[in-house]
Amino acid sequence: MNVVHINTHPARLRPGEMAIHREHGWVEILERAGTLLRIRWIDRALVAPDALEPDEIDGEVLTVWEDWVGCDSLKPMPRPSMRGESVAQTPLDLAARRALRRVPTT
């Protein structure tokens, strides 16, 4: 008999889904190899005001990181659905869906 912890089960943490990592926060799951997952996250660092050009108001540097982590370091996010339709998985999906709703139909 095989016993698998619920948060490490392959059906819980699938590639393409979002999860929360203890250290890195929101991450995207890219790949799975047994109990290891390759994740991607983005670090954001603000640019100091004195380093900005005169015509710039604000600035930030985005750094994309990838690493392999164990399943036990991630908390899966729920897979919401509404009336059989999939719901946005990421903030960008949500923004795209909102933009589509604003377009009037003829």
Side-chain angles (χ1 to χ4, degrees):
M1 179 166 126
N2 292 336
V3 178
V4 179
H5 188 273
I6 192 158
N7 282 343
T8 64
H9 193 278
R12 280 295 272 174
L13 297 164
R14 298 185 289 200
E17 293 186 334
M18 302 295 288
I20 296 179
H21 188 268
R22 294 178 191 155
E23 183 181 343
H24 307 305
W26 284 88
V27 299
E28 178 184 4
I29 300 170
L30 301 175
E31 185 179 351
R32 182 178 188 101
T35 60
L36 292 178
L37 298 166
R38 187 166 63 101
I39 60 170
R40 176 187 300 147
W41 72 96
I42 300 173
D43 279 337
R44 181 179 150 244
L46 295 175
V47 176
D50 56 343
L52 296 173
E53 296 294 323
D55 60 341
E56 294 178 327
I57 298 171
D58 196 7
E60 63 184 10
V61 177
L62 301 177
T63 308
V64 177
W65 299 93
E66 290 184 8
D67 196 8
W68 287 90
V69 298
C71 293
D72 58 344
S73 65
L74 295 174
K75 177 182 175 189
M77 300 306 301
R79 291 188 194 106
S81 65
M82 296 177 72
R83 294 180 224 111
E85 290 184 34
S86 65
V87 177
Q89 294 291 318
T90 66
L92 291 177
D93 291 340
L94 185 58
R97 289 175 187 244
R98 285 186 181 154
L100 291 175
R101 288 184 190 151
R102 291 184 189 149
V103 176
T105 57
T106 55

